[in-house]
Amino acid sequence: MRDRSNDDPIRPSQEELDALLSSPAIFSFQGVRASFDRRTTLFKRTWLVLMAVTILYLMGWFTGLLKPYMASAVTGLEADYQLHQVRFLLAFIMITIGTVALNFDWHIDETFTTVAWIQAYFLVSGVGRQWRTMPEDNLSVTLMYAANLLLILLLLVTLIIEERRLKSSLP
Amino acid sequence: MYKFSVAICFLFASLVIALFTLIITDGSFEPATDGGATLVQDLTAVRVWIVVAGLVLYSWKSATNQPSAVVVAVLTAIAWIMFLEDYMVLDSVLFIASHPPAQAVVFTRPIFLVALTYVAFKQWEIDLR
């Protein structure tokens, strides 16, 4: 009996079907572990530290330990308090987007580059704001605030450098 | 459409620079609250430098035919974040929209955000070609 599968111009041949099914998907879920397996130890450790900082922040926020160190505690402006809340929400959304990018192994370099620039904006505008409004004896609060934001920025820059190193080492 | 959107972005950037120049030279810009006075100056100063840096970087990359999708994506994200901050928090502190240049900035801002987002997506498409 004659196989008519390749005679029909509309129906794809077996070779075409195999090629379609075997081609890697542009956007496929892989999981963080699978994504980490391809990356360096420094990348993994940096990501873990970033997660730890986020968790510690949440613990500090909900227990009230962070409140005396916030700008609003010194300036007394409601806008400072709300700005802090909005910025943390945005940072949390960015961490989520970064985790999704890692899960799908999709544009990780570009995602973290964008996140790092936003963090730089938070650092410059936040520290500038505190520098202008804080009383002299609260310099330590400003320095702690700047160090905290700078640590997160450095972690993000490390992730970007490691990702670029990985991309450049791939054939 | 792409060029039109880029033109809208440049127009908005010019308006922001003009507004900043007026804020630092003209004493008639008063924020809604006393506490907001330094906040207006600080935020406007930071933002105007971001606008200038963004314009210079985008123009340089376009002139030298370098890929600029990441630059535009970063600028788009920051523009949306500034908008959210203003809309959710700073609206009652900052706004000085009684002045014509400030009104023009407030009025064109949503159009600018849509145009910039369109440019960001289009730029990815152009760079990936």
PDB file of all heavy atoms in Angstrom, chain A residues 77 79 82-83 86-87 90 110 113-114 117-118 121-122 125 128-129 132-133, chain B residues 35 38-39 41-42 46-47 50 70 73-74 77-78 81-82 84-85 89 93 124:
ATOM      1  N   LEU A  77       7.260  63.060  57.298  1.00  0.00           N
ATOM      2  CA  LEU A  77       6.394  63.263  56.122  1.00  0.00           C
ATOM      3  C   LEU A  77       5.720  61.949  55.733  1.00  0.00           C
ATOM      4  O   LEU A  77       6.382  60.919  55.582  1.00  0.00           O
ATOM      5  CB  LEU A  77       7.221  63.747  54.932  1.00  0.00           C
ATOM      6  CG  LEU A  77       7.418  65.240  54.718  1.00  0.00           C
ATOM      7  CD1 LEU A  77       8.218  65.484  53.466  1.00  0.00           C
ATOM      8  CD2 LEU A  77       6.071  65.953  54.605  1.00  0.00           C
ATOM      9  N   ALA A  79       4.513  61.360  52.884  1.00  0.00           N
ATOM     10  CA  ALA A  79       4.961  61.038  51.518  1.00  0.00           C
ATOM     11  C   ALA A  79       6.186  60.139  51.532  1.00  0.00           C
ATOM     12  O   ALA A  79       6.309  59.226  50.701  1.00  0.00           O
ATOM     13  CB  ALA A  79       5.260  62.317  50.757  1.00  0.00           C
ATOM     14  N   GLN A  82       5.006  56.597  52.315  1.00  0.00           N
ATOM     15  CA  GLN A  82       4.307  55.991  51.180  1.00  0.00           C
ATOM     16  C   GLN A  82       5.279  55.679  50.036  1.00  0.00           C
ATOM     17  O   GLN A  82       5.164  54.644  49.376  1.00  0.00           O
ATOM     18  CB  GLN A  82       3.208  56.921  50.690  1.00  0.00           C
ATOM     19  CG  GLN A  82       2.039  56.986  51.643  1.00  0.00           C
ATOM     20  CD  GLN A  82       0.989  57.980  51.193  1.00  0.00           C
ATOM     21  OE1 GLN A  82       1.260  58.861  50.384  1.00  0.00           O
ATOM     22  NE2 GLN A  82      -0.207  57.849  51.728  1.00  0.00           N
ATOM     23  N   LEU A  83       6.238  56.587  49.831  1.00  0.00           N
ATOM     24  CA  LEU A  83       7.230  56.382  48.774  1.00  0.00           C
ATOM     25  C   LEU A  83       8.035  55.115  49.047  1.00  0.00           C
ATOM     26  O   LEU A  83       8.305  54.320  48.142  1.00  0.00           O
ATOM     27  CB  LEU A  83       8.167  57.596  48.708  1.00  0.00           C
ATOM     28  CG  LEU A  83       8.934  57.809  47.420  1.00  0.00           C
ATOM     29  CD1 LEU A  83       8.008  57.956  46.237  1.00  0.00           C
ATOM     30  CD2 LEU A  83       9.821  59.033  47.524  1.00  0.00           C
ATOM     31  N   VAL A  86       5.803  52.134  48.202  1.00  0.00           N
ATOM     32  CA  VAL A  86       5.657  51.947  46.748  1.00  0.00           C
ATOM     33  C   VAL A  86       6.954  51.382  46.163  1.00  0.00           C
ATOM     34  O   VAL A  86       6.937  50.454  45.348  1.00  0.00           O
ATOM     35  CB  VAL A  86       5.288  53.284  46.059  1.00  0.00           C
ATOM     36  CG1 VAL A  86       5.410  53.183  44.562  1.00  0.00           C
ATOM     37  CG2 VAL A  86       3.881  53.686  46.436  1.00  0.00           C
ATOM     38  N   ARG A  87       8.083  51.906  46.631  1.00  0.00           N
ATOM     39  CA  ARG A  87       9.365  51.435  46.099  1.00  0.00           C
ATOM     40  C   ARG A  87       9.625  49.989  46.484  1.00  0.00           C
ATOM     41  O   ARG A  87      10.161  49.229  45.692  1.00  0.00           O
ATOM     42  CB  ARG A  87      10.503  52.345  46.568  1.00  0.00           C
ATOM     43  CG  ARG A  87      10.480  53.640  45.802  1.00  0.00           C
ATOM     44  CD  ARG A  87      11.664  54.492  46.046  1.00  0.00           C
ATOM     45  NE  ARG A  87      11.608  55.618  45.123  1.00  0.00           N
ATOM     46  CZ  ARG A  87      12.552  56.521  44.996  1.00  0.00           C
ATOM     47  NH1 ARG A  87      13.634  56.443  45.721  1.00  0.00           N
ATOM     48  NH2 ARG A  87      12.438  57.494  44.127  1.00  0.00           N
ATOM     49  N   LEU A  90       7.537  47.878  44.190  1.00  0.00           N
ATOM     50  CA  LEU A  90       8.149  47.818  42.860  1.00  0.00           C
ATOM     51  C   LEU A  90       9.369  46.895  42.867  1.00  0.00           C
ATOM     52  O   LEU A  90       9.571  46.118  41.933  1.00  0.00           O
ATOM     53  CB  LEU A  90       8.550  49.220  42.398  1.00  0.00           C
ATOM     54  CG  LEU A  90       7.384  50.162  42.081  1.00  0.00           C
ATOM     55  CD1 LEU A  90       7.890  51.597  41.937  1.00  0.00           C
ATOM     56  CD2 LEU A  90       6.663  49.735  40.823  1.00  0.00           C
ATOM     57  N   GLU A 110      19.276  41.202  30.044  1.00  0.00           N
ATOM     58  CA  GLU A 110      18.507  42.427  29.823  1.00  0.00           C
ATOM     59  C   GLU A 110      17.593  42.729  31.017  1.00  0.00           C
ATOM     60  O   GLU A 110      17.449  43.889  31.426  1.00  0.00           O
ATOM     61  CB  GLU A 110      17.653  42.314  28.546  1.00  0.00           C
ATOM     62  CG  GLU A 110      18.447  42.287  27.251  1.00  0.00           C
ATOM     63  CD  GLU A 110      19.009  40.939  26.892  1.00  0.00           C
ATOM     64  OE1 GLU A 110      18.842  39.975  27.687  1.00  0.00           O
ATOM     65  OE2 GLU A 110      19.641  40.805  25.831  1.00  0.00           O
ATOM     66  N   THR A 113      19.718  43.945  33.868  1.00  0.00           N
ATOM     67  CA  THR A 113      20.270  45.276  33.548  1.00  0.00           C
ATOM     68  C   THR A 113      19.213  46.348  33.819  1.00  0.00           C
ATOM     69  O   THR A 113      19.510  47.387  34.445  1.00  0.00           O
ATOM     70  CB  THR A 113      20.715  45.334  32.070  1.00  0.00           C
ATOM     71  OG1 THR A 113      21.654  44.285  31.846  1.00  0.00           O
ATOM     72  CG2 THR A 113      21.364  46.656  31.725  1.00  0.00           C
ATOM     73  N   THR A 114      17.987  46.098  33.390  1.00  0.00           N
ATOM     74  CA  THR A 114      16.894  47.051  33.630  1.00  0.00           C
ATOM     75  C   THR A 114      16.659  47.221  35.143  1.00  0.00           C
ATOM     76  O   THR A 114      16.539  48.346  35.642  1.00  0.00           O
ATOM     77  CB  THR A 114      15.597  46.562  32.942  1.00  0.00           C
ATOM     78  OG1 THR A 114      15.892  46.277  31.583  1.00  0.00           O
ATOM     79  CG2 THR A 114      14.492  47.580  33.007  1.00  0.00           C
ATOM     80  N   TRP A 117      19.386  49.319  36.792  1.00  0.00           N
ATOM     81  CA  TRP A 117      19.262  50.768  36.538  1.00  0.00           C
ATOM     82  C   TRP A 117      18.146  51.385  37.376  1.00  0.00           C
ATOM     83  O   TRP A 117      18.254  52.518  37.839  1.00  0.00           O
ATOM     84  CB  TRP A 117      19.052  51.046  35.046  1.00  0.00           C
ATOM     85  CG  TRP A 117      20.353  51.069  34.311  1.00  0.00           C
ATOM     86  CD1 TRP A 117      20.824  50.119  33.439  1.00  0.00           C
ATOM     87  CD2 TRP A 117      21.388  52.067  34.394  1.00  0.00           C
ATOM     88  NE1 TRP A 117      22.081  50.469  32.994  1.00  0.00           N
ATOM     89  CE2 TRP A 117      22.447  51.644  33.550  1.00  0.00           C
ATOM     90  CE3 TRP A 117      21.524  53.248  35.111  1.00  0.00           C
ATOM     91  CZ2 TRP A 117      23.624  52.385  33.401  1.00  0.00           C
ATOM     92  CZ3 TRP A 117      22.688  53.988  34.967  1.00  0.00           C
ATOM     93  CH2 TRP A 117      23.715  53.566  34.127  1.00  0.00           C
ATOM     94  N   ILE A 118      17.064  50.627  37.558  1.00  0.00           N
ATOM     95  CA  ILE A 118      15.974  51.129  38.410  1.00  0.00           C
ATOM     96  C   ILE A 118      16.476  51.242  39.858  1.00  0.00           C
ATOM     97  O   ILE A 118      16.203  52.227  40.545  1.00  0.00           O
ATOM     98  CB  ILE A 118      14.735  50.207  38.311  1.00  0.00           C
ATOM     99  CG1 ILE A 118      14.144  50.305  36.898  1.00  0.00           C
ATOM    100  CG2 ILE A 118      13.689  50.584  39.337  1.00  0.00           C
ATOM    101  CD1 ILE A 118      13.136  49.256  36.575  1.00  0.00           C
ATOM    102  N   TYR A 121      18.421  54.285  40.201  1.00  0.00           N
ATOM    103  CA  TYR A 121      17.522  55.449  40.345  1.00  0.00           C
ATOM    104  C   TYR A 121      17.031  55.576  41.791  1.00  0.00           C
ATOM    105  O   TYR A 121      17.019  56.673  42.367  1.00  0.00           O
ATOM    106  CB  TYR A 121      16.353  55.336  39.364  1.00  0.00           C
ATOM    107  CG  TYR A 121      15.192  56.244  39.693  1.00  0.00           C
ATOM    108  CD1 TYR A 121      15.295  57.624  39.584  1.00  0.00           C
ATOM    109  CD2 TYR A 121      13.983  55.714  40.148  1.00  0.00           C
ATOM    110  CE1 TYR A 121      14.239  58.459  39.916  1.00  0.00           C
ATOM    111  CE2 TYR A 121      12.921  56.528  40.476  1.00  0.00           C
ATOM    112  CZ  TYR A 121      13.054  57.904  40.363  1.00  0.00           C
ATOM    113  OH  TYR A 121      12.010  58.722  40.692  1.00  0.00           O
ATOM    114  N   PHE A 122      16.652  54.430  42.377  1.00  0.00           N
ATOM    115  CA  PHE A 122      16.201  54.436  43.778  1.00  0.00           C
ATOM    116  C   PHE A 122      17.331  54.920  44.691  1.00  0.00           C
ATOM    117  O   PHE A 122      17.090  55.684  45.635  1.00  0.00           O
ATOM    118  CB  PHE A 122      15.768  53.033  44.219  1.00  0.00           C
ATOM    119  CG  PHE A 122      14.450  52.572  43.646  1.00  0.00           C
ATOM    120  CD1 PHE A 122      14.039  51.258  43.778  1.00  0.00           C
ATOM    121  CD2 PHE A 122      13.604  53.443  42.987  1.00  0.00           C
ATOM    122  CE1 PHE A 122      12.829  50.816  43.270  1.00  0.00           C
ATOM    123  CE2 PHE A 122      12.389  53.022  42.464  1.00  0.00           C
ATOM    124  CZ  PHE A 122      12.014  51.699  42.603  1.00  0.00           C
ATOM    125  N   SER A 125      18.057  58.876  43.948  1.00  0.00           N
ATOM    126  CA  SER A 125      16.980  59.770  44.401  1.00  0.00           C
ATOM    127  C   SER A 125      16.717  59.605  45.898  1.00  0.00           C
ATOM    128  O   SER A 125      16.471  60.591  46.608  1.00  0.00           O
ATOM    129  CB  SER A 125      15.705  59.545  43.586  1.00  0.00           C
ATOM    130  OG  SER A 125      15.275  58.214  43.733  1.00  0.00           O
ATOM    131  N   GLY A 128      19.805  61.052  47.891  1.00  0.00           N
ATOM    132  CA  GLY A 128      19.779  62.510  47.693  1.00  0.00           C
ATOM    133  C   GLY A 128      18.700  63.154  48.538  1.00  0.00           C
ATOM    134  O   GLY A 128      18.911  64.187  49.183  1.00  0.00           O
ATOM    135  N   ARG A 129      17.564  62.500  48.562  1.00  0.00           N
ATOM    136  CA  ARG A 129      16.417  63.005  49.355  1.00  0.00           C
ATOM    137  C   ARG A 129      16.772  63.003  50.834  1.00  0.00           C
ATOM    138  O   ARG A 129      16.532  63.983  51.545  1.00  0.00           O
ATOM    139  CB  ARG A 129      15.208  62.107  49.068  1.00  0.00           C
ATOM    140  CG  ARG A 129      14.082  62.225  50.049  1.00  0.00           C
ATOM    141  CD  ARG A 129      13.026  63.167  49.583  1.00  0.00           C
ATOM    142  NE  ARG A 129      12.038  63.379  50.621  1.00  0.00           N
ATOM    143  CZ  ARG A 129      11.840  64.535  51.225  1.00  0.00           C
ATOM    144  NH1 ARG A 129      12.559  65.576  50.896  1.00  0.00           N
ATOM    145  NH2 ARG A 129      10.916  64.656  52.141  1.00  0.00           N
ATOM    146  N   ARG A 132      19.321  65.672  51.902  1.00  0.00           N
ATOM    147  CA  ARG A 132      18.793  67.040  51.972  1.00  0.00           C
ATOM    148  C   ARG A 132      17.881  67.269  53.173  1.00  0.00           C
ATOM    149  O   ARG A 132      17.782  68.383  53.675  1.00  0.00           O
ATOM    150  CB  ARG A 132      17.993  67.348  50.696  1.00  0.00           C
ATOM    151  CG  ARG A 132      18.839  67.482  49.452  1.00  0.00           C
ATOM    152  CD  ARG A 132      19.165  68.917  49.201  1.00  0.00           C
ATOM    153  NE  ARG A 132      17.955  69.695  49.019  1.00  0.00           N
ATOM    154  CZ  ARG A 132      17.872  70.728  48.213  1.00  0.00           C
ATOM    155  NH1 ARG A 132      18.915  71.074  47.499  1.00  0.00           N
ATOM    156  NH2 ARG A 132      16.764  71.423  48.105  1.00  0.00           N
ATOM    157  N   THR A 133      17.191  66.204  53.622  1.00  0.00           N
ATOM    158  CA  THR A 133      16.157  66.423  54.640  1.00  0.00           C
ATOM    159  C   THR A 133      16.548  65.970  56.039  1.00  0.00           C
ATOM    160  O   THR A 133      15.953  66.418  57.010  1.00  0.00           O
ATOM    161  CB  THR A 133      14.852  65.701  54.244  1.00  0.00           C
ATOM    162  OG1 THR A 133      15.174  64.354  53.922  1.00  0.00           O
ATOM    163  CG2 THR A 133      14.182  66.359  53.072  1.00  0.00           C
TER     164      THR A 133
ATOM    165  N   GLY B  35       6.557  71.265  53.108  1.00  0.00           N
ATOM    166  CA  GLY B  35       7.473  70.124  53.158  1.00  0.00           C
ATOM    167  C   GLY B  35       7.829  69.603  51.782  1.00  0.00           C
ATOM    168  O   GLY B  35       8.834  68.923  51.600  1.00  0.00           O
ATOM    169  N   THR B  38      11.450  71.094  49.031  1.00  0.00           N
ATOM    170  CA  THR B  38      12.739  70.475  48.700  1.00  0.00           C
ATOM    171  C   THR B  38      12.524  69.209  47.871  1.00  0.00           C
ATOM    172  O   THR B  38      13.338  68.888  47.008  1.00  0.00           O
ATOM    173  CB  THR B  38      13.551  70.116  49.969  1.00  0.00           C
ATOM    174  OG1 THR B  38      12.716  69.364  50.822  1.00  0.00           O
ATOM    175  CG2 THR B  38      14.083  71.345  50.650  1.00  0.00           C
ATOM    176  N   LEU B  39      11.406  68.526  48.169  1.00  0.00           N
ATOM    177  CA  LEU B  39      11.103  67.300  47.418  1.00  0.00           C
ATOM    178  C   LEU B  39      10.934  67.608  45.931  1.00  0.00           C
ATOM    179  O   LEU B  39      11.415  66.875  45.066  1.00  0.00           O
ATOM    180  CB  LEU B  39       9.832  66.663  47.985  1.00  0.00           C
ATOM    181  CG  LEU B  39       9.569  65.199  47.662  1.00  0.00           C
ATOM    182  CD1 LEU B  39      10.726  64.327  48.090  1.00  0.00           C
ATOM    183  CD2 LEU B  39       8.297  64.733  48.345  1.00  0.00           C
ATOM    184  N   GLN B  41      12.276  70.118  44.233  1.00  0.00           N
ATOM    185  CA  GLN B  41      13.581  70.435  43.644  1.00  0.00           C
ATOM    186  C   GLN B  41      14.429  69.181  43.476  1.00  0.00           C
ATOM    187  O   GLN B  41      15.021  68.953  42.422  1.00  0.00           O
ATOM    188  CB  GLN B  41      14.321  71.448  44.520  1.00  0.00           C
ATOM    189  CG  GLN B  41      13.728  72.843  44.387  1.00  0.00           C
ATOM    190  CD  GLN B  41      14.382  73.828  45.333  1.00  0.00           C
ATOM    191  OE1 GLN B  41      15.239  73.467  46.125  1.00  0.00           O
ATOM    192  NE2 GLN B  41      13.980  75.073  45.257  1.00  0.00           N
ATOM    193  N   ASP B  42      14.461  68.327  44.529  1.00  0.00           N
ATOM    194  CA  ASP B  42      15.297  67.123  44.471  1.00  0.00           C
ATOM    195  C   ASP B  42      14.839  66.189  43.362  1.00  0.00           C
ATOM    196  O   ASP B  42      15.641  65.737  42.533  1.00  0.00           O
ATOM    197  CB  ASP B  42      15.250  66.366  45.805  1.00  0.00           C
ATOM    198  CG  ASP B  42      15.890  67.158  46.920  1.00  0.00           C
ATOM    199  OD1 ASP B  42      16.567  68.156  46.624  1.00  0.00           O
ATOM    200  OD2 ASP B  42      15.710  66.779  48.090  1.00  0.00           O
ATOM    201  N   VAL B  46      16.830  65.229  39.851  1.00  0.00           N
ATOM    202  CA  VAL B  46      17.223  63.855  39.493  1.00  0.00           C
ATOM    203  C   VAL B  46      16.612  63.479  38.150  1.00  0.00           C
ATOM    204  O   VAL B  46      17.271  62.935  37.267  1.00  0.00           O
ATOM    205  CB  VAL B  46      16.782  62.867  40.607  1.00  0.00           C
ATOM    206  CG1 VAL B  46      16.927  61.440  40.140  1.00  0.00           C
ATOM    207  CG2 VAL B  46      17.595  63.079  41.864  1.00  0.00           C
ATOM    208  N   ARG B  47      15.343  63.810  37.991  1.00  0.00           N
ATOM    209  CA  ARG B  47      14.632  63.399  36.777  1.00  0.00           C
ATOM    210  C   ARG B  47      15.152  64.097  35.541  1.00  0.00           C
ATOM    211  O   ARG B  47      15.258  63.489  34.477  1.00  0.00           O
ATOM    212  CB  ARG B  47      13.138  63.657  36.944  1.00  0.00           C
ATOM    213  CG  ARG B  47      12.558  62.652  37.888  1.00  0.00           C
ATOM    214  CD  ARG B  47      11.236  63.064  38.396  1.00  0.00           C
ATOM    215  NE  ARG B  47      10.790  62.083  39.381  1.00  0.00           N
ATOM    216  CZ  ARG B  47       9.539  61.863  39.662  1.00  0.00           C
ATOM    217  NH1 ARG B  47       8.620  62.558  39.061  1.00  0.00           N
ATOM    218  NH2 ARG B  47       9.199  60.974  40.557  1.00  0.00           N
ATOM    219  N   ILE B  50      18.156  62.372  34.381  1.00  0.00           N
ATOM    220  CA  ILE B  50      17.820  61.097  33.719  1.00  0.00           C
ATOM    221  C   ILE B  50      17.347  61.373  32.300  1.00  0.00           C
ATOM    222  O   ILE B  50      17.736  60.679  31.353  1.00  0.00           O
ATOM    223  CB  ILE B  50      16.752  60.322  34.528  1.00  0.00           C
ATOM    224  CG1 ILE B  50      17.360  59.847  35.855  1.00  0.00           C
ATOM    225  CG2 ILE B  50      16.215  59.132  33.749  1.00  0.00           C
ATOM    226  CD1 ILE B  50      16.375  59.262  36.831  1.00  0.00           C
ATOM    227  N   VAL B  70      17.958  47.903  24.967  1.00  0.00           N
ATOM    228  CA  VAL B  70      18.079  47.839  26.424  1.00  0.00           C
ATOM    229  C   VAL B  70      17.981  49.244  27.027  1.00  0.00           C
ATOM    230  O   VAL B  70      17.306  49.440  28.045  1.00  0.00           O
ATOM    231  CB  VAL B  70      19.404  47.143  26.836  1.00  0.00           C
ATOM    232  CG1 VAL B  70      19.571  47.155  28.346  1.00  0.00           C
ATOM    233  CG2 VAL B  70      19.429  45.713  26.345  1.00  0.00           C
ATOM    234  N   ALA B  73      14.433  50.232  26.959  1.00  0.00           N
ATOM    235  CA  ALA B  73      13.675  49.442  27.940  1.00  0.00           C
ATOM    236  C   ALA B  73      13.908  49.984  29.355  1.00  0.00           C
ATOM    237  O   ALA B  73      12.955  50.126  30.137  1.00  0.00           O
ATOM    238  CB  ALA B  73      14.093  47.977  27.871  1.00  0.00           C
ATOM    239  N   VAL B  74      15.165  50.309  29.669  1.00  0.00           N
ATOM    240  CA  VAL B  74      15.478  50.867  30.996  1.00  0.00           C
ATOM    241  C   VAL B  74      14.759  52.202  31.195  1.00  0.00           C
ATOM    242  O   VAL B  74      14.117  52.442  32.236  1.00  0.00           O
ATOM    243  CB  VAL B  74      17.017  51.047  31.157  1.00  0.00           C
ATOM    244  CG1 VAL B  74      17.343  51.892  32.383  1.00  0.00           C
ATOM    245  CG2 VAL B  74      17.705  49.702  31.251  1.00  0.00           C
ATOM    246  N   ALA B  77      11.032  51.646  31.738  1.00  0.00           N
ATOM    247  CA  ALA B  77      10.732  51.145  33.096  1.00  0.00           C
ATOM    248  C   ALA B  77      10.829  52.283  34.119  1.00  0.00           C
ATOM    249  O   ALA B  77       9.948  52.440  34.975  1.00  0.00           O
ATOM    250  CB  ALA B  77      11.693  50.020  33.448  1.00  0.00           C
ATOM    251  N   ILE B  78      11.884  53.095  34.006  1.00  0.00           N
ATOM    252  CA  ILE B  78      12.054  54.201  34.968  1.00  0.00           C
ATOM    253  C   ILE B  78      10.933  55.237  34.805  1.00  0.00           C
ATOM    254  O   ILE B  78      10.408  55.752  35.793  1.00  0.00           O
ATOM    255  CB  ILE B  78      13.456  54.835  34.825  1.00  0.00           C
ATOM    256  CG1 ILE B  78      14.522  53.831  35.287  1.00  0.00           C
ATOM    257  CG2 ILE B  78      13.583  56.123  35.660  1.00  0.00           C
ATOM    258  CD1 ILE B  78      15.949  54.288  35.113  1.00  0.00           C
ATOM    259  N   ILE B  81       7.907  53.916  36.477  1.00  0.00           N
ATOM    260  CA  ILE B  81       8.060  53.930  37.941  1.00  0.00           C
ATOM    261  C   ILE B  81       7.873  55.355  38.482  1.00  0.00           C
ATOM    262  O   ILE B  81       7.191  55.564  39.488  1.00  0.00           O
ATOM    263  CB  ILE B  81       9.417  53.317  38.333  1.00  0.00           C
ATOM    264  CG1 ILE B  81       9.294  51.808  38.243  1.00  0.00           C
ATOM    265  CG2 ILE B  81       9.855  53.735  39.735  1.00  0.00           C
ATOM    266  CD1 ILE B  81      10.555  51.041  38.432  1.00  0.00           C
ATOM    267  N   MET B  82       8.458  56.340  37.779  1.00  0.00           N
ATOM    268  CA  MET B  82       8.278  57.738  38.204  1.00  0.00           C
ATOM    269  C   MET B  82       6.796  58.116  38.166  1.00  0.00           C
ATOM    270  O   MET B  82       6.297  58.799  39.059  1.00  0.00           O
ATOM    271  CB  MET B  82       9.050  58.666  37.276  1.00  0.00           C
ATOM    272  CG  MET B  82      10.528  58.636  37.480  1.00  0.00           C
ATOM    273  SD  MET B  82      11.261  59.624  36.188  1.00  0.00           S
ATOM    274  CE  MET B  82      12.965  59.387  36.551  1.00  0.00           C
ATOM    275  N   LEU B  84       4.219  56.075  38.481  1.00  0.00           N
ATOM    276  CA  LEU B  84       3.526  55.411  39.591  1.00  0.00           C
ATOM    277  C   LEU B  84       3.797  56.127  40.918  1.00  0.00           C
ATOM    278  O   LEU B  84       2.887  56.323  41.724  1.00  0.00           O
ATOM    279  CB  LEU B  84       3.983  53.948  39.702  1.00  0.00           C
ATOM    280  CG  LEU B  84       3.349  52.984  38.717  1.00  0.00           C
ATOM    281  CD1 LEU B  84       3.989  51.613  38.834  1.00  0.00           C
ATOM    282  CD2 LEU B  84       1.853  52.851  39.001  1.00  0.00           C
ATOM    283  N   GLU B  85       5.061  56.519  41.112  1.00  0.00           N
ATOM    284  CA  GLU B  85       5.408  57.233  42.350  1.00  0.00           C
ATOM    285  C   GLU B  85       4.611  58.535  42.455  1.00  0.00           C
ATOM    286  O   GLU B  85       4.071  58.858  43.500  1.00  0.00           O
ATOM    287  CB  GLU B  85       6.898  57.550  42.375  1.00  0.00           C
ATOM    288  CG  GLU B  85       7.772  56.368  42.712  1.00  0.00           C
ATOM    289  CD  GLU B  85       9.246  56.716  42.694  1.00  0.00           C
ATOM    290  OE1 GLU B  85       9.596  57.856  42.318  1.00  0.00           O
ATOM    291  OE2 GLU B  85      10.039  55.841  43.025  1.00  0.00           O
ATOM    292  N   VAL B  89       1.782  58.558  45.274  1.00  0.00           N
ATOM    293  CA  VAL B  89       2.300  59.186  46.492  1.00  0.00           C
ATOM    294  C   VAL B  89       2.403  60.701  46.395  1.00  0.00           C
ATOM    295  O   VAL B  89       1.918  61.421  47.250  1.00  0.00           O
ATOM    296  CB  VAL B  89       3.715  58.616  46.816  1.00  0.00           C
ATOM    297  CG1 VAL B  89       4.254  59.245  48.089  1.00  0.00           C
ATOM    298  CG2 VAL B  89       3.681  57.115  46.945  1.00  0.00           C
ATOM    299  N   VAL B  93       1.753  66.281  47.115  1.00  0.00           N
ATOM    300  CA  VAL B  93       2.910  67.028  47.615  1.00  0.00           C
ATOM    301  C   VAL B  93       3.427  67.983  46.550  1.00  0.00           C
ATOM    302  O   VAL B  93       3.726  69.142  46.808  1.00  0.00           O
ATOM    303  CB  VAL B  93       4.040  66.039  48.009  1.00  0.00           C
ATOM    304  CG1 VAL B  93       5.227  66.787  48.595  1.00  0.00           C
ATOM    305  CG2 VAL B  93       3.540  65.017  48.983  1.00  0.00           C
ATOM    306  N   TRP B 124      13.097  46.590  20.200  1.00  0.00           N
ATOM    307  CA  TRP B 124      13.474  45.170  20.329  1.00  0.00           C
ATOM    308  C   TRP B 124      13.330  44.486  18.980  1.00  0.00           C
ATOM    309  O   TRP B 124      14.196  43.721  18.560  1.00  0.00           O
ATOM    310  CB  TRP B 124      12.573  44.452  21.350  1.00  0.00           C
ATOM    311  CG  TRP B 124      13.017  44.643  22.759  1.00  0.00           C
ATOM    312  CD1 TRP B 124      12.376  45.393  23.692  1.00  0.00           C
ATOM    313  CD2 TRP B 124      14.192  44.128  23.393  1.00  0.00           C
ATOM    314  NE1 TRP B 124      13.089  45.373  24.864  1.00  0.00           N
ATOM    315  CE2 TRP B 124      14.197  44.604  24.717  1.00  0.00           C
ATOM    316  CE3 TRP B 124      15.238  43.317  22.966  1.00  0.00           C
ATOM    317  CZ2 TRP B 124      15.200  44.292  25.619  1.00  0.00           C
ATOM    318  CZ3 TRP B 124      16.236  43.008  23.878  1.00  0.00           C
ATOM    319  CH2 TRP B 124      16.208  43.491  25.177  1.00  0.00           C
TER     320      TRP B 124
END
